[in-house]
Amino acid sequence: MSSEAHVADGSAVHAEHETGENYLNCSHGLRSWLLTLDHKRIAVMYLAGLAGALFLGGIMALVVRLELWTGDGLVLSDDLYNHAFTLHGAIMTFLFIIPGIPAVFGNFALPLMLGAKDVAFPRLNLLSWYLWITGAVFAIVSMVVGAVDTGWTFYTPYSTQTSTQVINMTMGVFILGFSSIFTGLNFVVTIHKLRPAGMTWWRMPLMLWGLYATAIIQVLATPVLGITLLLLVAERALGVGIFDPSLGGDPLLYQHFFWFYSHPAVYIMILPAMGVISELISVHSRKTIFGYHAIALSSVAIAAFSFIVWGHHMFTAMSPMGNMIFSALTFSVSIPSAVKTFNWLATLYRGHIRLNAPMLYALAFIFLFGIGGLTGLFLGALATDIHLHDTYFVVAHFHFVMVGSTLIAFLGALHYWWPKMFGKAYDETLAKIACILVFIGFNVTFLPQFVLGTRGMPRRYHNFLPEFQGLHQASTVGAFILAIGLFLILVYLWKSLVSGKKVTVDNPWGGSSLEWLTTTPPPHYNFVGEPPEHDVYDYHDIRYDAAIDGYVLSKNEGDAAR
Amino acid sequence: MSSAADHHAEVDPAYRLAHHFESPEQQFETGKFGMWAFLVTEILFFSGLFTAYSVYRSNEADLFSYASGYLDTTLGCINTAVLILSSLTMAWAVRCAQLGQQRGLKFCLIVTLLCAGGFMGIKSVEYHHKIHNGLFPNAHFGAHEDPDGVPLHITDESGATVANPAARPAPENLRSFFGIYFCMTGLHGLHVLIGMGVIFWLYLRARRGEFGPKYFGPIDFTALYWHVVDLIWIFLFPLLYLIH
């Protein structure tokens, strides 16, 4: 990539603006995409891949829910049911939620928000996309040739005995792990080393703090998953006797290893979502974020606490003392989470709230994360966890956090950055309807599962007693409402790409971070000339201009409206 | 206010400055930080194995003490020396690159490669002995000899196979030691092979004269990686070979 391509002098800047050249149309052809080193294009390629994974995982979810319409199943055999929920879990976790927000919106927005031209290692960034694709191929191949029936956790000793495609699937997850490590590594190094002179740590948007905390976990925890899965493969292929009790191994050691990664991994899923919500709440309340430092540091605190709570997945298998320590540590995570929630609420207070689609998602997030977070306390408490362990209560809890929070934030981010990414507007009315459908569908799906769990319905069972049928059917109806909502989003976003109204304004929402101060869609090198300087969450000089239906930076303090 | 493009136009091509960096210093610092972060992931990658080692050794100290006797301390010792020598030549390669000594750089890289190859050679001799003795933890696992080389089973007058009274009998779960041994040394060996690939690539680039006082980042970062690979061996050697 030659530096001559970069436009430097004023007349050329003008020319670039006039011709409407941007990162999407600066070069053409499939090759220019598949070999791109541009973080924005890689983000778009991730978005396409992740949408596919979400679709596949979503189909599996519908199969599972449909199967649970009656207590004896509908069409699937017990084995196929086990395959369906395993694939749903594995695809959604490893292919969609974990890469999720960092891979798409982190890749797109991080260098822009920072004022950098790209991430620190653009080639590594492209490599991580190819690793994602390779991991996805492994997962899909394992589906085609015989699937996996262990659940997404691959617990030993069952995973060393079952005749299904465990090696294929775990190799896929291993490769996806490296994709995740490289993305995290890139983000950590970019934030440390590529900040322009004016961009100090405390001037970074909270999205970046969320991504930074996430990246730290990705870098520190994912290698442990890698070695765990390698050992599992070695155990299956050779029988090295590390996890298999019949060869002198310890199956519980597998669980410790697995959760040493996978508990931090749930914060890999939620922390970037919290970053997104901090942006959405502040921009759409037209108000400075309340408690900036508290929100920023609570992200780092969650990342730190995430490493010392894994034992709560094994309350039924550890010593009483170990249980008490892990229970107490688990409660510590609720403190930074609550700090964030209260700060978002305080930001809303007396703000000029705009109830557009991204904001609706942000408000849904606060509501659903509240439920998801508080029900986590039930599971962190030893006495109640013994009762709720491995029931639908656990299923409902983590779906409130993973779907109700992360997916909702993903959708909020998608609507928020969509005009900037593609320079196209979507249908706002349909977007609001879809958001409400998703919200209702989600709650109808998962609120009944809390009740099912407290009444003793165990997770992962194909059959259930007649008394559970009503709640299971409600949950299935909810899943289809949710699916309709998501499908509607797919339809109008596709329509927006094909025939949507062009967005030419730099700043349609009145955002204060740097990506809103460059052109839409951004140029290849992110900024024409030097990146602008602006205080994030400072809205007093960002003024609505009715003539262009967008916001402009007003240098004149007197002109500035709110 | 000069834009980045102007800035790059002024930069000597010998710095090989990538488009998204402001200055050669920033490029170097970024690469170095990235490599350190990567090495942290490497340490955590191995940490799972070290944890498994600690758990099993504390549970079965006698087994580990017995099984360690199978390992050839002399060969392990030679390999340790070979790797330490390769670390020295790799560090020297960095110095040569910084000073622009092209011949010295190429020489040091070649010596490092030879040492790494020697290490892998000795390692494969060791592996061969273990596999030959039935100590590779697969379906055919089962030791033929005890650590002192005495056959565990002999044929008596009637032709039946019986336990050899002169041998030290193998404890139960001998397999879990060799599971850990092969996983740890195998993964370490894989890292040596990857390192050899990278160093060979650096050698090809060095032959084209790409490195010098203005651009020696890749040599420096690879050397960091190489030192960590050595360091892991320096822990593996006493933990596996020197515990009886």
Side-chain angles (χ1 to χ4, degrees), chain A residues 444-476:
Chain A
V444 175
T445 312
F446 291 104
L447 284 175
Q449 296 192 5
F450 281 124
V451 185
L452 280 171
T454 51
R455 292 185 184 169
M457 172 75 209
R459 68 192 284 199
R460 292 179 173 173
Y461 275 38
H462 191 200
N463 303 308
F464 52 82
L465 298 171
E467 71 218 51
F468 294 133
Q469 186 158 16
L471 288 168
H472 266 299
Q473 292 187 343
S475 181
T476 302

Side-chain angles (χ1 to χ4, degrees), chain A residues 1-4 6-9 37 117-122 174 178 181-182 185 188-190 192-195 212 218-224 226-227 230-231 234 237-243 246-251 253 257 260 524-525 529-530, chain B residues 1-6 8-9 19-22 26-27 29-53 55-56 59-60 136-139 141 173-180 182-183 187 190:
Chain A
M1 211 161 287
S2 71
S3 54
E4 286 81 3
H6 186 79
V7 190
D9 63 306
L37 300 179
K117 287 196 200 71
D118 207 319
V119 292
F121 308 113
F174 178 78
F178 273 89
I181 290 174
F182 291 151
L185 190 89
V188 170
V189 178
T190 308
H192 270 274
K193 295 293 177 188
L194 261 59
R195 275 179 292 118
Y212 180 73
Q218 284 175 312
V219 167
L220 294 183
T222 320
V224 179
I227 192 66
L230 269 193
L231 288 177
L238 301 169
V240 291
I242 291 179
F243 297 137
S246 66
L247 303 173
D250 182 355
L253 187 65
F257 279 10
F260 184 83
H524 182 63
Y525 285 110
E530 291 288 308
Chain B
M1 201 192 290
S2 76
S3 84
D6 291 337
H8 280 200
H19 74 93
H20 58 298
F21 293 115
E22 292 290 322
Q26 189 190 35
Q27 172 163 296
E29 290 290 315
T30 305
K32 191 131 182 168
F33 190 86
M35 182 46 88
W36 276 112
F38 176 71
L39 294 179
V40 170
T41 73
E42 286 286 3
I43 298 291
L44 279 151
F45 196 59
F46 276 93
S47 71
L49 287 167
F50 281 104
T51 308
Y53 174 92
V55 169
Y56 287 111
N59 284 348
E60 308 195 56
F136 186 66
N138 62 4
F141 183 84
N173 295 339
L174 185 58
R175 185 187 202 106
S176 59
F177 175 84
F178 283 98
I180 285 174
F182 275 100
C183 285
L187 196 65
L190 185 67

Side-chain angles (χ1 to χ4, degrees), chain A residues 477-489:
Chain A
V477 170
F480 278 86
I481 300 175
L482 179 57
I484 292 168
L486 291 173
F487 188 69
L488 182 61
I489 296 174

